[in-house]
Amino acid sequence: PHTHVVFLKTHKTGGSSVVNVLHRFGEAQGLRFALPHRYQFGYPNPFRAQRVKGYSPGGPPFDIICHHMRFNLTEVQKVMPNDSFYFSIVRDPGTLGESSFSYYRAVAPAFRRAPSLAAFLAAPHRFYEPGARGNHYARNLQWFDFGLPRLEDEDDEEGGKAVAAALEELERTFNLVLLAEHFDESLVMLREALCWPEDAVVAFNHNSRPAEDTPKLSPSQVHHLRSWNKLDWALYTHLNRSFWRKVEAFGSSRLQREVSKLRQLRAALARRCLQGGGPLPAKSISDRRLRPFQPAGRAQILGYALRDGLSPAERERCARLATPELQYKDILDRRQFGGGNG
């Protein structure tokens, strides 16, 4: 099994669920996490090795790094071993844009100024000011998270070459990039690539919104979001093709069998572990250790409560599956450093 892992956690792509997988595997194996002093590595500034708690030049490398950063390969290589497995996750900007609008409404000036997503998409330049603090959430967020170069005009010939060169470099760096829209298929492919056991990649969905709070976008809105986030669309389509080439090599029918097993295992764990068998509003979760962070603004984030009557061993396993990212990071921090958040 690979035990040296770099996960670039991109925003609003399902990355919190992947982080739960990495937290549980790493904790169970006694691996050493590269942890931020608080909860992110100086984001939105590019990652620097000095942002890692306990890092010292020439000191022992870490095993797993998986918390929010703006990717910077040179600095990551100072922290992680040379044989590290690099992976990330991407999402169609036609839906990511809506999620970002809802979640980052309070911190992105471009979104805050717009009365609605429809108004923003009708005239984004009316609200968007390049370089304004927080506005990286409002355009080409995934391109930004990958640390790719800012391009003034990606439509001309030189811009097109620059986009292609950036994507080629990204493919050389990352062994695998998951797709949010095919999350279970992605988990199977990840498990295969990492040589991890079957149950290691079972995960509940973290940091999600209620279905009724997720509006149905029109085809026109999806088109406008992809057009506004043109670099993200180029990145997504490129990595989408790469993912399905890997699936072809793995075997499509084999993949579907593995996905079916994964879903059955998750459903059984949800029935066994969870109050109500699934996610709940945060206000319904009495245990603050399991209550997810709620962002400023209107987005409501679901979490999980555990069933009564679980044995101590079951309760421990179920709690790890249900623990939100921030609280789990604190658990790992205490295990490694014996304290709180530095």
Side-chain angles (χ1 to χ4, degrees), residues 62 201 275:
F62 295 86
V201 298
Q275 198 178 107

Side-chain angles (χ1 to χ4, degrees), residues 152-171:
E152 297 300 327
D153 190 354
E154 65 271 18
D155 291 326
D156 62 18
E157 185 177 349
E158 287 303 309
K161 289 179 180 177
V163 170
L167 295 176
E168 286 173 14
E169 180 63 25
L170 186 152
E171 281 230 72

Side-chain angles (χ1 to χ4, degrees), residues 206 273-275 280-282 284-294 301-307 315-316 318-325 327-328 331:
H206 284 266
C273 290
L274 302 178
Q275 198 178 107
L280 298 170
S284 302
I285 302 169
S286 58
D287 188 342
R288 62 182 180 83
R289 294 169 298 181
L290 300 180
R291 195 181 304 139
F293 170 75
Q294 300 296 305
I301 302 303
L302 299 173
Y304 301 98
L306 302 185
R307 286 178 64 244
R315 189 168 189 83
E316 184 70 18
C318 293
R320 290 300 192 254
L321 282 158
T323 298
E325 178 182 347
Q327 289 96 315
Y328 213 140
I331 291 170

Side-chain angles (χ1 to χ4, degrees), residues 206-249:
H206 284 266
N207 212 26
S208 63
R209 289 181 289 166
E212 60 269 21
D213 288 356
T214 308
K216 176 75 174 170
L217 299 176
S218 69
S220 174
Q221 287 176 315
V222 170
H223 171 77
H224 282 303
L225 282 166
R226 289 171 175 170
S227 179
W228 173 245
N229 297 283
K230 191 173 294 185
L231 292 173
D232 271 10
W233 180 235
L235 182 148
Y236 177 79
T237 54
H238 180 90
L239 294 172
N240 186 299
R241 288 191 294 269
S242 297
F243 179 84
W244 293 110
R245 282 197 297 270
K246 289 181 169 67
V247 166
E248 190 175 356

Side-chain angles (χ1 to χ4, degrees), residues 17-37:
S17 304
V18 178
V19 166
N20 180 263
V21 167
L22 297 174
H23 280 169
R24 288 186 288 114
F25 182 84
E27 184 185 25
Q29 298 293 320
L31 302 181
R32 190 166 180 247
F33 283 85
L35 298 173
H37 285 273

